[in-house]
Amino acid sequence: MSEKPKKFSRRKFIGLGIQGYTGVQLAQGLPLSLLASPSCTKSNAKTVHGACYHDCPDSCSWKVTVENGEIRDFGGDKDNPFTAGKLCDKMETFPQDITFHPDRILTPLKRTGIKGEGGFEKISWEQALKEVAQKLKSSVDTHGGESVLPFGYMGTQGLIQKAAMSQRFFTKLGATNLAETICGAPAIAGNKVANGQVMGILPEDILHSRFIILWGTNTKHSNVHLWPFVLEARNRGAKIIVIDPFRSATAMEADQHIQLMPGTDVALALGMMHVIIKEGLTDDAYIEKYTLGYDALKVHVQEYDPFTVAAICGIEEQIVIDFAREYATAKPSLIRYLIGMEHNSNGGDAFRSVGMLPSLTGAWRDHGGGLMHFTYELFGKAVNYERLDMYTELAENETRWMNMVQLGTLLNDPDLNPQIKTLFVFNANPVVTIPNQNLIREGLKREDLLTVVVEHFVTDTAKYADYIFPATTQLEHWDVADSWGQVYLNLNQPAIEPMGEAKPNSEFFRLLAKEYGFNDACFDESDIEIAKSFFDTDHPYMEGITFDYLKKNGWARLKIPEPYIPHAAGNFGTSSGKCEFYSASLEDSGQALPVYKTVSAENVGKYPFHLLTVKATKGFHNSSHGNVKHLMETEGLPTLDMSSEDAQSRNISDGDEVIAQNQNGSVVLRARIKDRVRPGVVLMPHGYWPSLVKGNATSNALTNDGLSDLGGGAALQDCRVEVTKSSG
Ligand code: SF4
């Protein structure tokens, strides 16, 4: 880890504006002590509490020391017991990496050149808002509100800056709704079919577990504050098993790694059920009292015998048998699952079937047993989330929904009625993060499309914008941070004034609403008023947690009664209140029971490798930080993992430049031959910005925009490629 910065100043960077965007790299790499103003006194030093905004299960609390309007210190809040004063490596130098990045946009910009080339000129806020409002009004008058597509996602997951004001604006406008499905949708849908909710045990309770399955999660790198708890559980006697087609950093530290073929998790889970039932390892009393559909499941899993499952998963038959036995007999046994297994056409049923296992064995009875999944439902009960839903009052009519995964297809579809004529992008960089990069670019080039982007940087998406508005960073605005991976609530306070002319997302939509002529009182609500309203609740989990308390202390743990053993006596969120092995509501779609479906073998001959894309976790957070020089160096060049067997067959050596290609595009990569994938599988990281790597294309240039079986998620791992050695 790099040494923590001590002091730095924001003043040197104010006014860089578009000058910064032209590529000056002043702040990055400079010791922060050189960036501090020597004239500071300690007369008005204060500590400001905040929290990380990234789409990450950890939601770290931080503290900022501010003196004379300058940040003197930044780091994790040591008092928070879960995040324990440690930010991950990619966020340790967040202020100078992002807030003071010399390329940051600090004024509104208007396109001057061809879409995608990145030519812009400065424009005042007043003029930019006026022009956007006029163009939008003219387009909506002609094509209707549904011709507007808001594309906002988890660039920040704060309750205010993610969508509190934008939702109001787009609902009032009658815009198309965006189905936010790129991450978590199949996981949520699958788990809900079986269990009716996604919440499992509390993260700290993993300490009580003695058999821990990390299924589809690279915990060591992408859930870094849970990892010490996992290690401590091992110190106390737990066995750690990782299930992942990739030999990840987490898999390398596990006691056992089951390296199955991509997209076959559902088959493994059904095979485990086969063994557990056949060998009488079920908890019959639990099944009888707290589940539905056991008889149908029992018949169904007969076809998933260990021999068949082993062939599907590409593992040994004995592994299926031993693993199932061990899981069913260990106590407490816990499955921690995350997104890794969802991005394929079996993803929903994978979560659904794995989510049934603890009810089959009665693992829910034990403290530390069962499932660990998302925690956001606890906040949903506790915090006044109705404040986020109030925008529905503004709706005149129900409007259509479109799936974010298929942005490229949607932008290029001439038969859509109405076609998308205006695209707002905020908290998102779809050219990098959404499947079928080249199709998205084609759509963004359309001259009849008005594209408005709210951003920190001229990203690969923003290059196609007609207007870019400068957004504040987490150090410059208010927000409330809940979590989907732990149970601490944070209030993020602005540590410094906004840089240049940057404004919070909420303020952009407030101003645009006014300019557009919307006069509803909700558009006058300030961020502080919105923040306070989240605490307007008498739920017992929120006892003593008020706006004023969090302003002083930054964070608070929800007051959840403990021990928290949520399903020891059933209490599932399904309409039956039971874990549903058989789902009557899915009978019509033929999905009453989870099944393994073979992915289409189309193109297998032409494109022999199954492509996996995984997060580049050392320096980037999805596409965030992809333009931060030292973090780019940390990540290194984008690599393609291959087995030595496959590499040899193509005369490829470790470090060679290779090209991965298919019908969607091609990507230049550096071969990594470390046998971290099985023969027939190749793997590349995502998060790199295309314009900053050779070939101007990254992983999503190869992925398809097909959908998963449940939840409308992206089946982007159902992707095949050919790999060749580059000729230069
Ligand atoms: S990205 Fe995650 S681990 Fe890193 S600082 Fe943010 S919340 Fe913490």
Side-chain angles (χ1 to χ4, degrees), residues 263-299:
T264 63
D265 309 81
V266 58
L268 180 58
L270 293 169
M272 289 171 71
M273 291 181 195
H274 177 104
V275 175
I276 290 166
I277 292 170
K278 188 176 167 198
E279 300 196 1
L281 302 176
T282 50
D283 182 333
D284 294 339
Y286 193 94
I287 291 170
E288 172 69 27
K289 217 165 169 188
Y290 304 125
T291 73
L292 269 187
Y294 177 59
D295 289 341
L297 181 76
K298 207 164 146 181
V299 174

CSV table of all heavy atoms in Angstrom, one decimal, residues 263-299:
chain,number,residue,atom,x,y,z
A,263,GLY,N,-20.9,-20.7,-15.5
A,263,GLY,CA,-22.4,-20.8,-15.7
A,263,GLY,C,-23.0,-22.1,-15.3
A,263,GLY,O,-24.1,-22.4,-15.6
A,264,THR,N,-22.2,-23.0,-14.6
A,264,THR,CA,-22.7,-24.3,-14.2
A,264,THR,C,-23.0,-24.4,-12.7
A,264,THR,O,-23.3,-25.5,-12.2
A,264,THR,CB,-21.7,-25.4,-14.6
A,264,THR,OG1,-20.5,-25.2,-13.9
A,264,THR,CG2,-21.4,-25.4,-16.1
A,265,ASP,N,-23.1,-23.3,-12.0
A,265,ASP,CA,-23.3,-23.3,-10.6
A,265,ASP,C,-24.7,-23.9,-10.2
A,265,ASP,O,-24.7,-24.7,-9.2
A,265,ASP,CB,-23.3,-21.8,-10.0
A,265,ASP,CG,-22.1,-21.1,-10.5
A,265,ASP,OD1,-22.1,-20.6,-11.6
A,265,ASP,OD2,-21.2,-21.0,-9.7
A,266,VAL,N,-25.7,-23.7,-11.1
A,266,VAL,CA,-27.0,-24.3,-10.7
A,266,VAL,C,-26.9,-25.8,-10.8
A,266,VAL,O,-27.5,-26.5,-10.0
A,266,VAL,CB,-28.1,-23.7,-11.7
A,266,VAL,CG1,-27.8,-23.9,-13.1
A,266,VAL,CG2,-29.4,-24.3,-11.3
A,267,ALA,N,-26.1,-26.3,-11.7
A,267,ALA,CA,-26.0,-27.8,-11.8
A,267,ALA,C,-25.3,-28.3,-10.6
A,267,ALA,O,-25.7,-29.4,-10.0
A,267,ALA,CB,-25.2,-28.2,-13.1
A,268,LEU,N,-24.3,-27.6,-10.1
A,268,LEU,CA,-23.6,-28.1,-8.9
A,268,LEU,C,-24.5,-28.1,-7.7
A,268,LEU,O,-24.6,-29.0,-6.9
A,268,LEU,CB,-22.4,-27.2,-8.6
A,268,LEU,CG,-21.6,-27.6,-7.4
A,268,LEU,CD1,-21.1,-29.0,-7.4
A,268,LEU,CD2,-20.4,-26.6,-7.2
A,269,ALA,N,-25.3,-27.0,-7.6
A,269,ALA,CA,-26.3,-26.9,-6.4
A,269,ALA,C,-27.3,-28.0,-6.5
A,269,ALA,O,-27.6,-28.7,-5.5
A,269,ALA,CB,-27.0,-25.5,-6.4
A,270,LEU,N,-27.8,-28.3,-7.7
A,270,LEU,CA,-28.8,-29.4,-7.8
A,270,LEU,C,-28.2,-30.7,-7.6
A,270,LEU,O,-28.8,-31.6,-7.0
A,270,LEU,CB,-29.5,-29.3,-9.2
A,270,LEU,CG,-30.3,-28.1,-9.4
A,270,LEU,CD1,-30.7,-27.9,-10.9
A,270,LEU,CD2,-31.6,-28.1,-8.5
A,271,GLY,N,-26.9,-30.9,-8.0
A,271,GLY,CA,-26.2,-32.1,-7.7
A,271,GLY,C,-26.0,-32.3,-6.2
A,271,GLY,O,-26.1,-33.4,-5.7
A,272,MET,N,-25.7,-31.2,-5.5
A,272,MET,CA,-25.5,-31.3,-4.0
A,272,MET,C,-26.8,-31.8,-3.4
A,272,MET,O,-26.9,-32.6,-2.5
A,272,MET,CB,-25.1,-29.9,-3.5
A,272,MET,CG,-23.7,-29.5,-3.8
A,272,MET,SD,-23.4,-27.8,-3.4
A,272,MET,CE,-23.3,-27.9,-1.6
A,273,MET,N,-27.9,-31.2,-3.9
A,273,MET,CA,-29.2,-31.6,-3.4
A,273,MET,C,-29.5,-33.1,-3.6
A,273,MET,O,-30.0,-33.8,-2.7
A,273,MET,CB,-30.3,-30.8,-4.1
A,273,MET,CG,-30.3,-29.3,-3.7
A,273,MET,SD,-31.7,-28.5,-4.6
A,273,MET,CE,-31.2,-26.8,-4.4
A,274,HIS,N,-29.1,-33.5,-4.8
A,274,HIS,CA,-29.3,-35.0,-5.1
A,274,HIS,C,-28.6,-35.8,-4.0
A,274,HIS,O,-29.2,-36.8,-3.5
A,274,HIS,CB,-28.7,-35.2,-6.5
A,274,HIS,CG,-28.7,-36.7,-6.9
A,274,HIS,ND1,-29.6,-37.2,-7.8
A,274,HIS,CD2,-27.9,-37.7,-6.5
A,274,HIS,CE1,-29.4,-38.5,-8.0
A,274,HIS,NE2,-28.4,-38.8,-7.2
A,275,VAL,N,-27.3,-35.5,-3.8
A,275,VAL,CA,-26.5,-36.3,-2.8
A,275,VAL,C,-27.1,-36.2,-1.4
A,275,VAL,O,-27.3,-37.1,-0.7
A,275,VAL,CB,-25.1,-35.8,-2.8
A,275,VAL,CG1,-24.3,-36.5,-1.7
A,275,VAL,CG2,-24.4,-36.0,-4.2
A,276,ILE,N,-27.4,-34.9,-1.0
A,276,ILE,CA,-28.0,-34.7,0.4
A,276,ILE,C,-29.3,-35.5,0.6
A,276,ILE,O,-29.4,-36.1,1.7
A,276,ILE,CB,-28.2,-33.2,0.6
A,276,ILE,CG1,-26.8,-32.5,0.6
A,276,ILE,CG2,-29.0,-32.9,1.8
A,276,ILE,CD1,-26.9,-30.9,0.5
A,277,ILE,N,-30.1,-35.4,-0.4
A,277,ILE,CA,-31.4,-36.1,-0.3
A,277,ILE,C,-31.2,-37.7,-0.3
A,277,ILE,O,-31.7,-38.4,0.6
A,277,ILE,CB,-32.4,-35.7,-1.4
A,277,ILE,CG1,-32.8,-34.2,-1.2
A,277,ILE,CG2,-33.6,-36.6,-1.4
A,277,ILE,CD1,-33.6,-33.6,-2.3
A,278,LYS,N,-30.4,-38.1,-1.2
A,278,LYS,CA,-30.2,-39.5,-1.4
A,278,LYS,C,-29.5,-40.1,-0.1
A,278,LYS,O,-29.9,-41.3,0.3
A,278,LYS,CB,-29.3,-39.8,-2.6
A,278,LYS,CG,-29.1,-41.2,-3.0
A,278,LYS,CD,-28.3,-41.4,-4.2
A,278,LYS,CE,-27.9,-42.8,-4.4
A,278,LYS,NZ,-26.8,-43.0,-5.3
A,279,GLU,N,-28.6,-39.4,0.5
A,279,GLU,CA,-27.9,-39.9,1.6
A,279,GLU,C,-28.6,-39.6,3.0
A,279,GLU,O,-28.0,-39.8,4.0
A,279,GLU,CB,-26.5,-39.4,1.6
A,279,GLU,CG,-25.8,-39.9,0.3
A,279,GLU,CD,-24.2,-39.7,0.4
A,279,GLU,OE1,-23.7,-39.3,1.5
A,279,GLU,OE2,-23.6,-40.1,-0.6
A,280,GLY,N,-29.8,-39.0,2.9
A,280,GLY,CA,-30.5,-38.8,4.1
A,280,GLY,C,-29.9,-37.7,5.0
A,280,GLY,O,-30.0,-37.7,6.2
A,281,LEU,N,-29.3,-36.7,4.4
A,281,LEU,CA,-28.6,-35.7,5.2
A,281,LEU,C,-29.5,-34.4,5.3
A,281,LEU,O,-29.0,-33.3,5.7
A,281,LEU,CB,-27.3,-35.3,4.5
A,281,LEU,CG,-26.3,-36.4,4.3
A,281,LEU,CD1,-25.1,-36.0,3.6
A,281,LEU,CD2,-25.9,-37.0,5.7
A,282,THR,N,-30.8,-34.6,5.0
A,282,THR,CA,-31.7,-33.4,5.1
A,282,THR,C,-32.1,-33.2,6.5
A,282,THR,O,-32.1,-34.1,7.3
A,282,THR,CB,-32.9,-33.7,4.2
A,282,THR,OG1,-33.4,-35.0,4.6
A,282,THR,CG2,-32.6,-33.7,2.7
A,283,ASP,N,-32.6,-32.0,6.8
A,283,ASP,CA,-33.2,-31.7,8.1
A,283,ASP,C,-34.7,-31.8,7.9
A,283,ASP,O,-35.4,-30.8,7.5
A,283,ASP,CB,-32.8,-30.3,8.6
A,283,ASP,CG,-33.4,-30.0,9.9
A,283,ASP,OD1,-34.5,-30.5,10.3
A,283,ASP,OD2,-32.8,-29.1,10.6
A,284,ASP,N,-35.3,-33.0,8.1
A,284,ASP,CA,-36.7,-33.2,7.7
A,284,ASP,C,-37.7,-32.4,8.5
A,284,ASP,O,-38.7,-32.0,8.0
A,284,ASP,CB,-37.0,-34.7,7.9
A,284,ASP,CG,-36.2,-35.6,6.9
A,284,ASP,OD1,-35.7,-35.0,5.9
A,284,ASP,OD2,-36.0,-36.8,7.1
A,285,ALA,N,-37.3,-32.1,9.7
A,285,ALA,CA,-38.3,-31.3,10.6
A,285,ALA,C,-38.3,-29.9,10.0
A,285,ALA,O,-39.4,-29.3,9.9
A,285,ALA,CB,-37.8,-31.3,12.0
A,286,TYR,N,-37.1,-29.4,9.6
A,286,TYR,CA,-37.1,-28.0,9.1
A,286,TYR,C,-37.9,-28.0,7.7
A,286,TYR,O,-38.7,-27.1,7.5
A,286,TYR,CB,-35.7,-27.6,8.9
A,286,TYR,CG,-35.5,-26.1,8.6
A,286,TYR,CD1,-35.3,-25.2,9.6
A,286,TYR,CD2,-35.7,-25.6,7.3
A,286,TYR,CE1,-35.2,-23.8,9.4
A,286,TYR,CE2,-35.6,-24.2,7.1
A,286,TYR,CZ,-35.4,-23.3,8.1
A,286,TYR,OH,-35.3,-22.0,7.9
A,287,ILE,N,-37.6,-29.0,6.9
A,287,ILE,CA,-38.3,-29.0,5.6
A,287,ILE,C,-39.8,-29.1,5.8
A,287,ILE,O,-40.6,-28.4,5.1
A,287,ILE,CB,-37.8,-30.3,4.8
A,287,ILE,CG1,-36.3,-30.1,4.4
A,287,ILE,CG2,-38.6,-30.5,3.6
A,287,ILE,CD1,-35.7,-31.3,3.8
A,288,GLU,N,-40.2,-29.9,6.7
A,288,GLU,CA,-41.7,-30.1,6.9
A,288,GLU,C,-42.3,-28.8,7.3
A,288,GLU,O,-43.4,-28.5,6.9
A,288,GLU,CB,-41.8,-31.2,8.0
A,288,GLU,CG,-43.2,-31.4,8.5
A,288,GLU,CD,-44.1,-32.1,7.5
A,288,GLU,OE1,-43.6,-32.8,6.6
A,288,GLU,OE2,-45.3,-31.8,7.6
A,289,LYS,N,-41.7,-28.1,8.2
A,289,LYS,CA,-42.3,-26.9,8.8
A,289,LYS,C,-42.1,-25.7,8.0
A,289,LYS,O,-43.0,-24.8,8.0
A,289,LYS,CB,-41.7,-26.7,10.2
A,289,LYS,CG,-42.7,-26.3,11.3
A,289,LYS,CD,-42.1,-26.5,12.6
A,289,LYS,CE,-43.0,-25.8,13.6
A,289,LYS,NZ,-42.4,-25.7,15.0
A,290,TYR,N,-41.0,-25.5,7.4
A,290,TYR,CA,-40.6,-24.2,6.9
A,290,TYR,C,-40.4,-24.1,5.3
A,290,TYR,O,-39.9,-23.2,4.8
A,290,TYR,CB,-39.4,-23.6,7.6
A,290,TYR,CG,-39.5,-23.6,9.1
A,290,TYR,CD1,-38.6,-24.2,9.9
A,290,TYR,CD2,-40.6,-22.9,9.7
A,290,TYR,CE1,-38.7,-24.2,11.3
A,290,TYR,CE2,-40.7,-22.9,11.0
A,290,TYR,CZ,-39.8,-23.5,11.8
A,290,TYR,OH,-39.9,-23.5,13.2
A,291,THR,N,-40.7,-25.2,4.6
A,291,THR,CA,-40.5,-25.2,3.2
A,291,THR,C,-41.8,-25.6,2.4
A,291,THR,O,-42.6,-26.3,3.0
A,291,THR,CB,-39.3,-26.1,2.7
A,291,THR,OG1,-39.7,-27.4,2.9
A,291,THR,CG2,-38.1,-25.8,3.6
A,292,LEU,N,-41.8,-25.4,1.1
A,292,LEU,CA,-42.8,-25.8,0.2
A,292,LEU,C,-42.2,-26.5,-1.0
A,292,LEU,O,-41.2,-26.0,-1.5
A,292,LEU,CB,-43.6,-24.6,-0.3
A,292,LEU,CG,-44.8,-24.0,0.4
A,292,LEU,CD1,-45.5,-23.0,-0.4
A,292,LEU,CD2,-45.8,-25.1,0.8
A,293,GLY,N,-42.8,-27.6,-1.4
A,293,GLY,CA,-42.5,-28.2,-2.7
A,293,GLY,C,-41.3,-29.2,-2.6
A,293,GLY,O,-40.7,-29.5,-3.6
A,294,TYR,N,-41.1,-29.7,-1.4
A,294,TYR,CA,-40.0,-30.7,-1.3
A,294,TYR,C,-40.2,-31.9,-2.1
A,294,TYR,O,-39.2,-32.4,-2.8
A,294,TYR,CB,-39.8,-31.0,0.2
A,294,TYR,CG,-38.7,-32.0,0.4
A,294,TYR,CD1,-37.4,-31.8,0.0
A,294,TYR,CD2,-39.0,-33.3,1.0
A,294,TYR,CE1,-36.4,-32.7,0.2
A,294,TYR,CE2,-38.0,-34.2,1.2
A,294,TYR,CZ,-36.7,-33.9,0.8
A,294,TYR,OH,-35.7,-34.8,1.0
A,295,ASP,N,-41.4,-32.4,-2.2
A,295,ASP,CA,-41.6,-33.7,-3.0
A,295,ASP,C,-41.3,-33.5,-4.4
A,295,ASP,O,-40.6,-34.3,-5.1
A,295,ASP,CB,-43.1,-34.1,-2.8
A,295,ASP,CG,-43.3,-34.7,-1.4
A,295,ASP,OD1,-42.3,-35.0,-0.7
A,295,ASP,OD2,-44.5,-34.7,-1.0
A,296,ALA,N,-41.7,-32.3,-5.0
A,296,ALA,CA,-41.4,-32.0,-6.4
A,296,ALA,C,-39.8,-31.9,-6.6
A,296,ALA,O,-39.3,-32.4,-7.6
A,296,ALA,CB,-42.1,-30.8,-6.8
A,297,LEU,N,-39.2,-31.2,-5.6
A,297,LEU,CA,-37.7,-31.1,-5.7
A,297,LEU,C,-37.0,-32.4,-5.7
A,297,LEU,O,-36.1,-32.7,-6.5
A,297,LEU,CB,-37.2,-30.2,-4.6
A,297,LEU,CG,-35.7,-29.9,-4.6
A,297,LEU,CD1,-35.4,-28.9,-5.7
A,297,LEU,CD2,-35.3,-29.4,-3.2
A,298,LYS,N,-37.5,-33.3,-4.8
A,298,LYS,CA,-36.9,-34.6,-4.6
A,298,LYS,C,-36.9,-35.4,-6.0
A,298,LYS,O,-35.9,-36.0,-6.4
A,298,LYS,CB,-37.7,-35.3,-3.6
A,298,LYS,CG,-37.0,-36.4,-2.8
A,298,LYS,CD,-37.9,-36.7,-1.6
A,298,LYS,CE,-37.8,-38.1,-1.2
A,298,LYS,NZ,-38.6,-38.4,-0.1
A,299,VAL,N,-38.0,-35.3,-6.7
A,299,VAL,CA,-38.1,-36.0,-7.9
A,299,VAL,C,-37.2,-35.3,-9.0
A,299,VAL,O,-36.4,-35.9,-9.7
A,299,VAL,CB,-39.6,-36.0,-8.4
A,299,VAL,CG1,-39.6,-36.6,-9.8
A,299,VAL,CG2,-40.4,-36.8,-7.5
